[in-house]
Amino acid sequence: MMQFPETIDIPLDMWVDAAMDWVLITFSGFFDLLGQIILYIMIYIEKFFVWLPWPVLIIGVGILAWRVTGRWYSGLLMAAMLFFIGALGLWELGMMTLSLVVASVLISLVIGIPLGIAMASSDRFEAVLKPILDGMQTMPSFVYLIPALMLFGLGKVPALFATIIYAVPPVIRLTNVGIREVSPSVIEAAHAFGSSYWQILFKAQLPLARPTIMVGINQTTMMALAMVVIASMIGAKGLGLEVLLAINRIEVGRGFEAGLCIVFMAIVIDRITFALATKKKH
């Protein structure tokens, strides 16, 4: 009686494997086309960041940080962090990592913001999507690599796919929360003036929910950056690959350098996006 009965055995793994086999057989052409499109976009984003002269990016980030935070020393600190990445000889790898983060965040926003709006518009849809988002946020990130590999193989595309699944829930949730927190009196006033659903959405709800949505974008960006090391296991180049190689070869210094660069990049992105959210709120 102390052990669970062996006769009760739910073959969930076999059902999932059968479902994945069916998806691969039925939609292989679609996923091949989707992979080519995503790869095309990623290559051009990566080429842009690698091509961009390092002084332009460092100075531009410094000025942006100064303007959004209102403190000149914050801009100087952000620029110094980016300069440090180049000084360690990891500038090109850092730009590869940045391109992966930018591409994954852009696609996450294209997917997440409309889903957040739909959640805010329908209680039933929110009830259906919330458990899915809970599962996406609590599932071990390594699990995302398996379907990504099966659908797209090794390379940048499965890394992007896994990163999007991991990073998209915060922007969906916070878009929903931001719109639902808009004062009902504002919506009633808009209705009284004869505004349509789309006019209320774009001229009242989204502008008022913008600070919360910006926090969601901030969290999505940070989660995408946290995924780069794991994504390197399936073909994503950049700083994550340096960390992975350092683990395989037990090179502490190499891993520390790459990890520190990821930390600096995370700090720069976090401070700028958080300052943008706070600025919009004020």
Side-chain angles (χ1 to χ4, degrees):
M1 294 297 293
M2 299 298 294
Q3 295 182 348
F4 197 85
E6 295 182 359
T7 54
I8 302 176
D9 184 17
I10 301 176
L12 180 61
D13 56 341
M14 297 176 62
W15 296 344
V16 173
D17 289 340
M20 284 301 301
D21 291 340
W22 178 82
V23 169
L24 288 171
I25 294 171
T26 308
F27 300 103
S28 59
F30 168 75
F31 285 112
D32 288 341
L33 177 61
L34 181 62
Q36 290 297 322
I37 295 172
I38 294 176
L39 182 61
Y40 181 82
I41 295 172
M42 287 197 64
I43 287 175
Y44 273 89
I45 293 176
E46 183 176 305
K47 283 184 177 179
F48 170 76
F49 280 109
V50 173
W51 165 83
L52 195 65
W54 65 268
V56 173
L57 183 60
I58 291 176
I59 294 172
V61 168
I63 294 174
L64 177 62
W66 168 39
R67 297 295 296 174
V68 298
T69 62
R71 297 184 294 269
W72 63 268
Y73 53 86
S74 294
L76 186 62
L77 181 61
M78 301 298 109
M81 288 182 178
L82 288 182
F83 181 83
F84 186 76
I85 294 175
L88 291 178
L90 298 173
W91 181 263
E92 186 171 347
L93 294 177
M95 293 304 100
M96 291 179 182
T97 297
L98 185 60
S99 67
L100 175 63
V101 172
V102 169
S104 60
V105 169
L106 288 176
I107 297 176
S108 295
L109 297 185
V110 171
I111 297 171
I113 292 178
L115 286 177
I117 293 172
M119 283 182 69
S121 303
S122 171
D123 292 337
R124 183 174 298 177
F125 184 67
E126 182 187 34
V128 171
L129 196 57
K130 264 189 173 181
I132 298 174
L133 296 177
D134 292 339
M136 291 170 67
Q137 288 189 287
T138 54
M139 184 74 70
S141 51
F142 288 95
V143 176
Y144 299 136
L145 305 183
I146 303 170
L149 280 171
M150 292 183 67
L151 295 174
F152 301 106
L154 287 169
K156 300 176 185 293
V157 177
L160 180 71
F161 180 80
T163 304
I164 290 170
I165 297 176
Y166 183 72
V168 75
V171 73
I172 298 176
R173 287 184 182 277
L174 287 169
T175 300
N176 172 45
V177 170
I179 293 176
R180 286 181 178 272
E181 286 182 345
V182 174
S183 175
S185 60
V186 175
I187 309 301
E188 291 175 4
H191 278 299
F193 283 102
S195 300
S196 66
Y197 168 80
W198 297 108
Q199 288 175 326
I200 294 173
L201 177 64
F202 287 106
K203 294 185 178 181
Q205 290 177 313
L206 286 179
L208 292 173
R210 189 178 300 170
T212 307
I213 295 174
M214 287 298 300
V215 174
I217 295 173
N218 170 272
Q219 293 302 305
T220 291
T221 305
M222 299 305 293
M223 292 185 73
L225 192 54
M227 191 69 177
V228 296
V229 176
I230 299 172
S232 67
M233 296 180 180
I234 54 175
K237 296 181 180 179
L239 296 172
L241 182 60
E242 280 292 295
V243 175
L244 184 62
L245 291 174
I247 293 172
N248 292 335
R249 300 174 184 178
I250 318 180
E251 296 178 354
V252 180
R254 185 177 186 176
F256 181 76
E257 282 188 350
L260 192 61
C261 290
I262 293 174
V263 170
F264 283 168
M265 193 172 293
I267 291 173
V268 171
I269 294 173
D270 176 68
R271 297 299 184 272
I272 291 176
T273 53
F274 183 78
L276 284 171
T278 307
K279 186 177 180 181
K280 292 292 183 182
K281 188 173 183 178
H282 293 325

